[in-house]
Amino acid sequence: MRSDRQPPNLSTQVEQLASILAKTGVIYGPTQGAISNTTVAPSIIDEFKTYHYTDESIGATMPYNIYLPKNYYPNKIYPLYVFIGDASTNINNDKAVLFQGNGATIFATSEEQTKHEAIILASQYTQDLVDQLGMMTTDENKWTTGLQLVTNLINHVIDTYPVDTNRIYGSG
């Protein structure tokens, strides 16, 4: 199985076809062609930091994205929310798990963080890992090397950040 998912193309072009009357009374005439955007507004995806976890016992490296609360304080204990993307994120883009949907990013929004401040972990099981270790899960319901790699990554995050081990949540 291979995914053809790509990051979203956020570029756009607009063309004004007719004159527009502004509230101020100024008339803006049509453009002479399409106008392209020159910048893209920051995204919640930009709030995640990307790192690479190397597991010597497995002999594999896995990219992961982590979000720390805006008012992160290293001596405070935080819940950990773990998001594992589906097979459509198995591409060699470290942030694919963040643009596949909003399974991880929704919990990083200011609205959700105000209600439930938490550290968010989004592991990226790349095509390179699929080629090296096989799929993370199988239809046979067996523990795989990929699942062990993700488990070891979660334990690494728990050892690295002030995680409340009684409040670890996950979805995917």
Side-chain angles (χ1 to χ4, degrees):
M1 293 176 39
R2 292 192 182 271
S3 173
D4 61 357
R5 186 174 295 275
Q6 295 298 316
N9 179 354
L10 300 177
S11 62
T12 188
Q13 292 187 334
V14 294
E15 188 172 354
Q16 183 177 322
L17 301 176
S19 295
I20 297 175
L21 174 63
K23 269 179 116 177
T24 60
V26 176
I27 297 175
Y28 294 96
T31 60
Q32 298 300 312
I35 299 171
S36 297
N37 65 315
T38 56
T39 60
V40 176
S43 163
I44 196 70
I45 291 172
D46 301 326
E47 301 294 320
F48 285 78
K49 300 289 185 220
T50 303
Y51 298 101
H52 292 84
Y53 168 70
T54 299
D55 189 317
E56 299 296 335
S57 67
I58 292 175
T61 297
M62 171 180 263
Y64 66 97
N65 299 278
I66 194 150
Y67 173 88
L68 300 177
K70 291 260 190 265
N71 298 318
Y72 175 78
Y73 187 67
N75 293 330
K76 182 178 176 181
I77 297 174
Y78 296 91
L80 175 64
Y81 171 71
V82 180
F83 178 74
I84 299 174
D86 62 30
S88 72
T89 65
N90 292 351
I91 63 173
N92 290 329
N93 181 312
D94 293 351
K95 294 203 179 271
V97 69
L98 299 176
F99 62 74
Q100 172 230 14
N102 64 355
T105 57
I106 189 67
F107 292 103
T109 63
S110 58
E111 295 84 10
E112 288 301 317
Q113 285 287 308
T114 298
K115 291 187 283 187
H116 309 287
E117 196 174 49
I119 295 171
I120 303 166
L121 169 65
S123 60
Q124 177 57 37
Y125 202 78
T126 62
Q127 185 61 51
D128 287 347
L129 286 170
V130 172
D131 293 343
Q132 179 185 358
L133 304 175
M135 293 297 287
M136 188 187 319
T137 59
T138 66
D139 292 338
E140 293 82 35
N141 204 20
K142 293 180 183 175
W143 194 259
T144 67
T145 306
L147 286 172
Q148 188 61 54
L149 178 61
V150 172
T151 301
N152 294 349
L153 167 62
I154 293 169
N155 287 323
H156 166 74
V157 168
I158 291 168
D159 292 342
T160 304
Y161 298 96
V163 171
D164 180 346
T165 56
N166 291 316
R167 295 190 304 158
I168 298 174
Y169 309 95
S171 70

